[in-house]
Amino acid sequence: MSIQVNMNKARDIWRDHWRSARKPLLENLDVEFMRAVESGDTAKQAEVASKKQELRDVTSTAVDNIEDPNYLKLVWPDCLGEKPERL
């Protein structure tokens, strides 16, 4: 008898890992954005807003067609930086 992996649940868990990884990145960008607002730097505001949107979109990364949990674990969006070793 082989172990069956619920890939829908595995994808959701993997997206949760991405959410955890992006949380501190978004928090740092919030600080950068507020500094840009305070200084009136609209170019920096736009740059930070773009980075934040990229991080928000990370959970839309195409993984729905992956049917092997080993391949799913290889997917790590670049905008999140280095993949933690524990994953």
Side-chain angles (χ1 to χ4, degrees):
M1 181 180 205
S2 65
I3 296 174
Q4 295 294 319
V5 175
N6 180 331
M7 285 305 296
N8 289 328
K9 183 69 174 173
R11 289 183 202 101
D12 289 342
I13 290 169
W14 204 238
R15 286 183 186 109
D16 285 342
H17 289 308
W18 295 344
R19 287 181 183 101
S20 294
R22 81 175 174 192
K23 185 178 186 296
L25 300 173
L26 283 170
E27 289 170 353
N28 290 337
L29 288 171
D30 286 342
V31 172
E32 280 188 50
F33 187 82
M34 289 311 298
R35 287 185 178 147
V37 168
E38 290 170 355
S39 68
D41 188 345
T42 57
K44 183 67 172 180
Q45 290 174 39
E47 176 188 331
V48 172
S50 176
K51 289 178 184 178
K52 288 175 68 172
Q53 188 60 52
E54 182 181 12
L55 288 169
R56 285 187 205 105
D57 292 343
V58 81
T59 54
S60 299
T61 301
V63 292
D64 290 336
N65 59 351
I66 297 176
E67 295 298 329
D68 184 329
N70 294 314
Y71 289 120
L72 181 62
K73 290 178 182 180
L74 297 175
V75 180
W76 191 260
D78 292 336
C79 65
L80 296 176
E82 289 293 317
K83 178 178 160 189
E85 288 186 30
R86 64 176 171 79
L87 298 178

